[in-house]
Amino acid sequence: HIIRIVVLADTGTACCERVRSLLRHAPGAVVECDVGRLSGPATEVIGILARLRFTTLSCGGRLTLRHADPALW
């Protein structure tokens, strides 16, 4: 299974809750995050992505990023 979500700075916490809920029904799924519109201070962006990664892994999923700013790499 692939779960696709769009992440914005003001929806970071909501995205974590959504991912947790979706992975309950699809354990082991890949969570594909479109982060192309994610903006804000670097520490905020990294914090959001870290929370998403932790949430995904702790629920048995795997996180991938789409449209990530090259500065994140």
Side-chain angles (χ1 to χ4, degrees), residues 13-64:
T13 301
C15 282
C16 288
E17 291 302 319
R18 182 167 177 235
V19 163
R20 187 175 288 113
S21 175
L22 291 169
L23 284 173
R24 277 190 205 114
H25 303 289
V30 173
V31 178
E32 185 179 271
C33 296
D34 183 341
V35 295
R37 294 187 283 172
L38 183 58
S39 62
T43 54
E44 184 178 312
V45 169
I46 291 169
I48 291 168
L49 295 177
R51 287 193 308 274
L52 277 170
R53 180 171 166 79
F54 177 79
T55 300
T56 302
L57 292 175
S58 67
C59 293
R62 193 178 64 152
L63 182 70
T64 62

